[in-house]
Amino acid sequence: MLKRKEFIIGAAAGLLVAVVATAGGLIRWPGMDGSLLSVSGPITPSAGAPGAAFGPPPGAPVSFADIFTQVAPAVVQIDVRTRVPRREAETFQIPGLPFEFEGPDGETPEGETTLGAGSGFFISEDGYIVTNNHVIANAEEITVRLADNRELPARLVGRDESTDLAVIKVDGGRFPYVSFEESAEPRVGDWVIAVGNPFGLGGTATAGIVSAKSRDLQDVSSNYVDYIQIDAAINRGNSGGPTFDIYGRVIGVNTAIFSPTGGSIGIGFAIPANTAKTITDRLMRGEQIERGYLGVTIADLDPFREAMGLEDGMAGALINDVTAGGPAARGGLRPGDIVIELNDAPVSGATDLTRRVGAAEVGDTIEVVVLRGERRLVARVRAAKRPSQSELEALQTPGRRPVPEASPGQSLAGVTLAPMTPELRAKYDIPASVNGVVVVAEAQLGPTRFVPGVVILQAGLNPVRSIADIQAEIARARAAGREQFFVLAWSADGNGAVLLDVPSPTTAQPRARVPATKQ
């Protein structure tokens, strides 16, 4: 399980022991004895000029002590106070009684105040600090604890949800700071040092190596970030802290861990320095991070290519859904279209498409080549401003709905279907713009759950208007020797791409539903 919010949240005494102990002098940061009070200005790498090849200086990796002593003054602990929105009162029902009870929510109308902690680091002498967006998101109060144990109030300068980066600032000057490494590219196997505030234990250093590069975390942040994977231990509270090379240059911003337990198992992820510097420089200049936007929900084509009957090696991005009234809808794009080119260059997949659209200026005209059925079509779409990540997630959050009542129908590939009729459209509240064949009974087929009111829009590359259209696609798949066929299904919570097994004498089971979450 990927743990992104590995900073400390909550007022539980156990989680705050380390913070309280630090304040009380039981746990000491390096330099609390006053030795760091005189440190200021840029921290110069101890060996090798910036941009030099990665290689150990004399003595490494016998000890990282000198490097840690060099960079530790620039690393800070970030304490935040946030307010958790008030939850709606939950209801429960006692079996045998025909009504529900409303349980007490036990919270104030404004919600509960909670405490959180993360890490950060000075990136300039005049008080600019880099951290993660998720450390300071929704913070009502931000306090920075320096390596010499001073506490300073901080204000938010800017943040970018899509890359999970933020910049805050404290007043003052002559702060010790570190720099991003822009020239030398870290290699898999190079030594790294992570410094931060795990579990409130400020000034903690851990060491390891670069385990891999260009990691996709399969979440929205990976639309714009190729993560560095490191095996230096990072835990809750390390979020926003720096990863250094053995010369004391920042090569990444610690952001996430992969863990079944919530603690480090040696798989951590950092935002590369080149991405972090580009974004944080813009935030420090007061710029808003704007990206181009088409208004489509997309998925990689690769999992569906064979089931759609497409040629081996074909690349692209499958459009699962189109936002009503958005740029793509105005440009004529439809659910089921396959984007194969953008501005005369091939599209390799969903992430490639998202990044290239995001790089477009708001108002730019983007030429999109799609495969619709067996035809290549060209659409010209004017890019809009991409909504914030929280706004996009709000649009995608499914609502809680009871399972609708079943209706008579015909069983095909494990799903009970019926032709679209005015009665079914009204019964299941299907919009007039949605056409296809209606699922009329609940079915759990592998990981995919069909409920009454779902509409099959497309089978293979072809739109569905009748059950015969699905039967024809099954016949094509069987004739081609394919084990599965592709369907695109509409539901009130959004469209989904599904692989169904070609029917045989046994019950057909869909292999998987691949979520389409990239925007």
Side-chain angles (χ1 to χ4, degrees):
M1 179 181 296
L2 185 68
K3 303 287 185 181
R4 174 165 301 281
K5 297 195 174 183
E6 67 278 11
F7 60 108
I8 305 169
I9 290 186
L15 291 181
L16 294 180
V17 166
V19 179
V20 174
T22 303
L26 300 179
I27 300 174
R28 302 181 63 82
W29 280 71
M32 284 176 59
D33 57 0
S35 62
L36 297 179
L37 290 176
S38 61
V39 178
S40 64
I43 296 173
T44 305
S46 62
F54 280 79
V62 173
S63 174
F64 298 105
D66 290 342
I67 303 167
F68 175 71
T69 301
Q70 171 188 312
V71 300
V75 183
V76 302
Q77 174 177 318
I78 299 174
D79 297 323
V80 298
R81 185 182 299 273
T82 63
R83 190 172 296 277
V84 178
R86 181 177 181 269
R87 296 192 306 269
E88 295 293 331
E90 297 181 354
T91 62
F92 61 94
Q93 187 169 15
I94 297 177
L97 296 181
F99 50 84
E100 293 182 332
F101 293 89
E102 183 174 296
D105 54 35
E107 296 183 8
T108 62
E110 298 81 13
E112 293 290 341
T113 298
T114 64
L115 303 177
S119 303
F121 55 97
F122 282 107
I123 202 66
S124 72
E125 189 176 31
D126 54 351
Y128 285 96
I129 296 169
V130 173
T131 187
N132 283 141
N133 174 68
H134 74 255
V135 170
I136 52 80
N138 303 316
E140 295 184 347
E141 181 181 313
I142 305 173
T143 303
V144 171
R145 184 190 299 272
L146 276 60
D148 58 20
N149 213 35
R150 284 182 292 164
E151 292 187 2
L152 300 174
R155 62 179 175 84
L156 177 65
V157 174
R159 62 195 186 97
D160 179 37
E161 290 180 290
S162 295
T163 56
D164 197 18
L165 288 165
V167 174
I168 60 176
K169 191 178 188 304
V170 295
D171 292 333
R174 295 179 56 79
F175 293 107
Y177 67 95
V178 289
S179 301
F180 286 114
E181 172 51 49
E182 300 179 77
S183 303
E185 183 75 13
R187 305 165 301 175
V188 174
D190 280 334
W191 286 101
V192 295
I193 309 164
V195 182
N197 172 48
F199 302 107
L201 302 172
T204 295
T206 56
I209 62 169
V210 175
S211 302
K213 296 169 61 178
S214 300
R215 286 299 198 202
D216 184 341
L217 303 190
Q218 299 299 311
D219 70 350
V220 293
S221 71
S222 293
N223 289 343
Y224 303 104
V225 178
D226 289 321
Y227 285 93
I228 300 172
Q229 180 183 329
I230 63 174
D231 74 349
I234 57 176
N235 284 286
R236 298 179 186 272
N238 274 111
S239 283
T243 292
F244 295 100
D245 65 14
I246 54 177
Y247 298 118
R249 305 174 295 200
V250 179
I251 63 165
V253 180
N254 299 322
T255 299
I257 60 174
F258 183 87
S259 173
T261 64
S264 174
I265 59 170
I267 303 176
F269 302 96
I271 301 168
N274 56 355
T275 300
K277 179 172 174 54
T278 299
I279 297 297
T280 56
D281 279 354
R282 293 179 61 185
L283 294 175
M284 289 168 63
R285 292 195 297 266
E287 297 181 18
Q288 295 291 320
I289 307 300
E290 293 186 351
R291 295 181 175 87
Y293 175 70
L294 292 184
V296 293
T297 304
I298 58 178
D300 285 324
L301 178 62
D302 188 63
F304 309 107
R305 183 179 59 243
E306 181 180 355
M308 297 176 84
L310 298 172
E311 61 187 32
D312 290 344
M314 182 175 178
L318 172 67
I319 297 179
N320 276 6
D321 211 348
V322 176
T323 303
R330 293 194 297 269
L333 297 179
R334 301 178 187 173
D337 285 346
I338 301 169
V339 181
I340 54 178
E341 291 182 13
L342 190 79
N343 291 338
D344 298 322
V347 171
S348 62
T351 298
D352 179 41
L353 177 60
T354 300
R355 291 183 181 181
R356 288 165 59 185
V357 170
E361 298 287 338
V362 176
D364 283 355
T365 297
I366 301 173
E367 186 173 281
V368 184
V369 178
V370 300
L371 184 67
R372 181 179 298 166
E374 297 181 355
R375 296 182 300 157
R376 287 170 59 101
L377 302 175
V378 178
R380 290 175 176 81
V381 181
R382 188 174 183 183
K385 178 183 175 181
R386 179 183 173 88
S388 70
Q389 196 58 49
S390 55
E391 290 171 329
L392 291 174
E393 290 172 357
L395 292 174
Q396 293 180 344
T397 302
R400 294 179 61 185
R401 299 180 178 87
V403 176
E405 180 183 348
S407 301
Q410 174 182 343
S411 180
L412 183 63
V415 185
T416 305
L417 304 169
M420 181 73 73
T421 64
E423 292 76 19
L424 289 177
R425 190 180 292 278
K427 179 177 182 177
Y428 297 125
D429 198 21
I430 300 170
S433 59
V434 176
N435 293 289
V437 171
V438 185
V439 175
V440 292
E442 186 174 3
Q444 185 72 46
L445 302 175
T448 305
R449 182 181 181 226
F450 289 93
V451 297
V454 168
V455 179
I456 306 299
L457 306 173
Q458 180 175 319
L461 297 174
N462 302 301
V464 169
R465 293 290 181 266
S466 67
I467 293 176
D469 291 332
I470 300 178
Q471 291 171 325
E473 179 59 28
I474 291 173
R476 283 190 289 269
R478 187 179 289 119
R482 300 198 300 269
E483 296 180 354
Q484 295 179 307
F485 68 102
F486 168 87
V487 298
L488 182 64
W490 172 92
S491 77
D493 294 328
N495 294 357
V498 183
L499 298 178
L500 293 175
D501 287 349
V502 173
S504 65
T506 58
T507 302
Q509 299 288 333
R511 182 170 298 176
R513 170 173 176 161
V514 178
T517 58
K518 296 182 181 294
Q519 289 270 347

